[in-house]
Amino acid sequence: MTQRTSVEQPDDSGMLGGPVNSVNFDLSDEHQALLNQITRSARARFGALGDRMDREAWWPENGFRMLADLGVLGASVPRTYGGQGLDLFSAGLLGQALGRVEPSIATSWQSHDNLCVNNIYRNGSEYLRRNYLPGLCEGSLVGALGMTEPNAGSDALGGMRTTAVRDGGDYRLNGSKIFITNGPIADVVLVYAKTAPERGNRGISAFVVEKSFSGFRAGPKFDKMGIRGSPTGELFFDDCRVPVRNMIGPEHGGVGVMMSGLDIERGFCSMSVIGATERAFDLALDYAKTRQQFGQAIGSFQMIQSKLAEMYVQLESMKVLAYRALAACNGLEGGQGGRGDIHALTAAAFMIVGENGMKICDEAVQIHGGMGFMRETEVNRIYRAAKIHEIGGGTKEIRRMIIAKELLKR
Ligand SMILES: Cc1cc2nc3c(=O)[nH]c(=O)nc-3n(C[C@H](O)[C@H](O)[C@H](O)COP(=O)(O)OP(=O)(O)OC[C@H]3O[C@@H](n4cnc5c(N)ncnc54)[C@H](O)[C@@H]3O)c2cc1C
């Protein structure tokens, strides 16, 4: 008699429950078509701007209107609020497409569309959704997220100094935020502040702050080594008055908003890194085929072939883990996540995309030789941009800490 167990046993061919290709690790035809279409349209609109954005640290004045025209704003927000109505995974593919075209565009877009807009949609009240999402989805409002402070980077919760004190129908915010993507141009910022400092992590709340609120000021943009077109800066709150109804989630409940948002951010932002890395890889492959030395294409040399093979393997492995992590985020409800398997998985995906992305871009520059060292080349621009993916959204060291902490709880 055949022994039956709850775990299916492989048959003689080693297959578990049918042909291996019944488990699909590739994008569906619909996903692939979306990725290709947005890549093509984004290249037509933004492809020629990357060089100037990098040289002059310039963000196009109508950049967010252009993104709205492209159909990528409010990607994961239902159409009733003006969004595109995509699930999180499909929205991430838009990031992969934008990353292929220009990392600065992808960075500013994902900070607006995921860190700010998706967070307001998932955790905000109906008032906040109705008041802010339509403008953010049509590109008339620019969004940002303010968590990091001068003394609160990796220790974002413990080191937070910005406070919010209830005063009648408002909260008064005091403090500052640093390194905020879109900070210098943002109209709407999702800000974390301590409403009960004595309660530690359980005393943080999230607010929607408008640039027009009294006591709010944005500093000038920073001069960065990469993603130079994406404006980054400081935000200052000096008795900034924020109406009570602009609180996101419950009072003192900001840690849930923040931690689930960080999981989604890591899964989501992995996709634009994949896009930028794919572009660096394609440029290197093309150069290997066309650049002649010793009377032949450099791609005929085994050392260059070895680099290309390793880059391919690293790129494919980052895709598998990142796609899996973002697909797992798809089902997260508002406030969920921030702990358990999803916390470790999204940190793992962001770790591998950040680190493999950096290695691949380094080899892509190497394959370009001296030309790769020239600032004006696209491969150099992508290389300088790649470093942020080992720092932002939790550094590569913090990602390891998250993974290990979750593993040790098992
Ligand atoms: C271009 C750019 C855009 C950004 N955009 C945003 C944004 O939109 N919103 C936002 O809120 N923030 C943003 N950030 C901030 C970013 O998330 C932080 O820079 C990042 O979390 C690291 O914090 P830190 O810079 O203070 O470094 P620190 O925390 O001071 O870390 C310095 C070094 O120490 C290491 N370290 C710290 N603690 C430990 C530990 N316990 N064990 C081992 N090593 C440790 C770190 O890994 C790092 O290598 C942005 C940053 C940049 C550069």
Side-chain angles (χ1 to χ4, degrees):
M1 205 173 103
T2 315
Q3 191 188 349
R4 296 189 71 90
T5 64
S6 57
V7 178
E8 196 179 352
Q9 299 297 305
D11 64 17
D12 289 347
S13 69
M15 286 179 178
L16 259 177
V20 171
N21 64 8
S22 67
V23 179
N24 193 356
F25 290 99
D26 270 332
L27 296 179
S28 67
D29 290 347
E30 291 79 9
H31 281 140
Q32 193 63 53
L34 177 70
L35 178 59
N36 294 346
Q37 183 231 316
I38 298 294
T39 304
R40 265 195 313 275
S41 314
R43 187 152 287 139
R45 286 175 169 81
F46 294 104
L49 306 183
D51 181 50
R52 179 175 170 203
M53 291 180 75
D54 185 54
R55 258 187 302 111
E56 299 177 14
W58 168 70
W59 175 260
E61 192 123 315
N62 57 349
F64 276 88
R65 291 280 192 189
M66 290 166 75
L67 285 165
D69 289 346
L70 189 60
V72 297
L73 290 193
S76 53
V77 168
R79 290 179 189 278
T80 42
Y81 301 104
Q84 308 295 329
L86 296 175
D87 66 297
L88 204 59
F89 186 85
S90 306
L93 291 172
L94 308 184
Q96 185 175 344
L98 294 175
R100 285 172 171 181
V101 174
E102 172 49 45
S104 288
I105 299 277
T107 301
S108 275
W109 170 77
Q110 69 201 9
S111 296
H112 167 100
D113 220 63
N114 186 259
L115 278 58
C116 178
V117 176
N118 178 267
N119 223 325
I120 292 177
Y121 168 64
R122 287 188 334 114
N123 297 298
S125 63
E126 196 53 28
Y127 162 76
L128 291 174
R129 288 173 167 187
R130 296 264 166 225
N131 206 36
Y132 293 109
L133 292 178
L136 289 161
C137 291
E138 69 176 23
S140 58
L141 297 175
V142 176
L145 177 133
M147 177 176 72
T148 307
E149 299 183 3
N151 292 309
S154 299
D155 185 17
L157 294 170
M160 190 179 291
R161 298 274 183 281
T162 300
T163 55
V165 176
R166 182 77 187 257
D167 183 3
D170 295 333
Y171 280 88
R172 275 186 292 112
L173 268 62
N174 281 287
S176 68
K177 300 285 174 184
I178 197 167
F179 303 142
I180 306 306
T181 301
N182 297 339
I185 58 167
D187 302 287
V188 172
V189 189
L190 195 163
V191 176
Y192 293 103
K194 286 204 165 158
T195 34
E198 72 288 354
R199 291 174 60 173
N201 295 354
R202 301 283 150 199
I204 293 171
S205 304
F207 299 89
V208 177
V209 178
E210 290 183 35
K211 76 170 180 194
S212 59
F213 287 174
S214 72
F216 174 82
R217 181 170 63 85
K221 68 184 171 206
F222 291 132
D223 189 11
K224 307 194 295 298
M225 69 179 266
I227 49 164
R228 288 170 51 74
S230 170
T232 313
E234 282 177 277
L235 306 175
F236 301 96
F237 307 89
D238 185 8
D239 268 337
C240 174
R241 297 196 82 88
V242 181
V244 171
R245 63 186 178 178
N246 275 35
M247 181 177 276
I248 301 183
E251 190 181 40
H252 313 317
V255 73
V257 177
M258 182 192 282
M259 298 313 283
S260 75
L262 279 170
D263 280 355
I264 290 177
E265 172 182 342
R266 291 185 185 118
F268 195 85
C269 296
S270 293
M271 303 291 272
S272 69
V273 189
I274 290 172
T277 312
E278 283 178 320
R279 178 66 180 158
F281 177 71
D282 287 349
L283 289 168
L285 189 58
D286 197 44
Y287 201 75
K289 287 187 199 163
T290 52
R291 172 70 175 167
Q292 300 268 325
Q293 285 296 285
F294 300 96
Q296 49 196 310
I298 59 170
S300 66
F301 304 132
Q302 285 189 346
M303 268 194 274
I304 298 290
Q305 292 173 3
S306 168
K307 285 185 196 303
L308 290 170
E310 281 177 28
M311 291 158 77
Y312 167 79
V313 172
Q314 287 163 349
L315 183 53
E316 289 303 312
S317 16
M318 58 200 260
K319 277 193 211 172
V320 170
L321 195 50
Y323 286 174
R324 187 180 150 212
L326 189 56
C329 289
N330 243 352
L332 283 183
E333 299 293 331
Q336 278 184 348
R339 70 184 90 84
D341 289 349
I342 191 74
H343 201 39
L345 184 62
T346 50
F350 211 33
M351 183 179 129
I352 196 170
V353 298
E355 295 178 30
N356 281 8
M358 193 69 245
K359 283 185 208 149
I360 292 169
C361 289
D362 187 28
E363 289 291 40
V365 165
Q366 191 67 22
I367 288 173
H368 281 76
M371 195 52 80
F373 201 66
M374 298 299 117
R375 277 181 82 91
E376 72 265 24
T377 58
E378 189 180 357
V379 74
N380 185 277
R381 191 162 82 229
I382 301 172
Y383 168 83
R384 283 183 283 109
K387 186 63 194 169
I388 187 57
H389 304 124
E390 294 188 323
I391 298 173
T395 63
K396 60 180 177 177
E397 290 78 17
I398 297 302
R399 295 168 207 174
R400 283 175 168 74
M401 281 169 55
I402 292 169
I403 297 165
K405 195 171 162 192
E406 292 301 333
L407 291 178
L408 290 167
K409 283 185 201 161
R410 287 180 182 174

